Amino acid sequence: MALINEFMKIKNNTVVGLTYELKVSKLEDEIESAPFSVEIRDTEDPFYFLFGQSGLPEKFENLLAGQAEGEDFSFTLAVEEAYGEADEELLVNLPKSQFSSQQGFNEDMLAEGNFLPLMDEDGIPMQAKIIKDLGEEIMLDFNHPLVGFDLHFDGKIIEVREATEEELAHGHVHGEHGAHD
């Protein structure tokens, strides 16, 4: 099996393991900010995903396609290739009463700048950032946390393998670096 992995290239229905540093930058008043680090995934905490079913920006997957285990990568996704610009319609005011202790929330969680762990009507986990405390209501931002940023990735491909039937059926990685269902 190790010999197969040595030559396996990233393609649809492969499980890919990466280590990387993600830096972001933003264009404001026609001036690009210096990239600053927002996430590091090292060998202690690598990032695994099912190629072609990851939900990651399409350009991210396109730039990794065809690479093999052991290869380094370095690329930048412009805002429009990543998560786009913020959508004002995803800013929502909700009553604080919806975030009671009966629903598993406490007052400390409702501070401006915090991310609230939520679920949509289908039970899918999501998060929203608290933008402003409006007294009886809070303003939540449901935009992806990386909207409006250019994403700069520097990393290494640490594993490429065929996805199992179960992983393909469930649409995500199982085992040590994924879900356990």
Side-chain angles (χ1 to χ4, degrees):
M1 185 74 175
L3 289 177
I4 294 171
N5 273 349
E6 191 173 323
F7 301 107
M8 184 169 290
K9 302 279 189 197
I10 296 174
K11 62 183 193 267
N12 278 346
N13 301 327
T14 56
V15 170
V16 180
L18 307 174
T19 57
Y20 63 82
E21 179 176 13
L22 169 59
K23 295 179 180 178
V24 298
S25 61
K26 192 171 201 153
L27 184 63
E28 295 205 30
D29 298 325
E30 314 253 341
I31 299 169
E32 183 81 14
S33 69
F36 59 94
S37 183
V38 294
E39 183 178 37
I40 295 177
R41 298 298 291 262
D42 58 19
T43 55
E44 297 293 313
D45 182 29
F47 175 66
Y48 278 80
F49 66 98
L50 183 56
F51 193 85
Q53 297 186 46
S54 68
L56 296 165
E58 185 178 342
K59 182 76 173 194
F60 179 86
E61 287 196 350
N62 290 344
L63 291 168
L64 290 174
Q67 294 195 43
E69 186 173 315
E71 290 189 49
D72 294 323
F73 61 90
S74 181
F75 53 79
T76 297
L77 301 181
V79 169
E80 58 277 0
E81 299 168 325
Y83 294 101
E85 295 291 349
D87 181 348
E88 295 295 321
E89 291 185 18
L90 295 177
L91 298 178
V92 179
N93 293 350
L94 292 174
K96 280 185 184 177
S97 60
Q98 288 188 4
F99 304 98
S100 68
S101 57
Q102 288 84 12
Q103 282 98 15
F105 296 96
N106 63 53
E107 196 167 324
D108 292 340
M109 294 171 78
L110 301 181
E112 289 181 15
N114 283 354
F115 284 89
L116 289 178
L118 305 170
M119 284 195 191
D120 69 11
E121 55 274 355
D122 298 321
I124 296 172
M126 59 189 297
Q127 65 179 4
K129 184 177 183 179
I130 300 172
I131 300 298
K132 189 152 185 68
D133 184 334
L134 301 168
E136 295 296 314
E137 294 184 325
I138 51 175
M139 180 185 290
L140 298 175
D141 184 352
F142 285 91
N143 283 289
H144 190 283
L146 295 174
V147 297
F149 289 100
D150 291 336
L151 310 181
H152 308 266
F153 290 92
D154 288 298
K156 184 177 189 106
I157 299 160
I158 61 168
E159 185 176 354
V160 180
R161 66 169 173 81
E162 289 291 342
T164 66
E165 292 292 325
E166 187 177 31
E167 288 170 326
L168 292 173
H170 290 182
H172 58 254
V173 178
H174 287 203
E176 182 182 353
H177 300 291
H180 296 276
D181 44 309

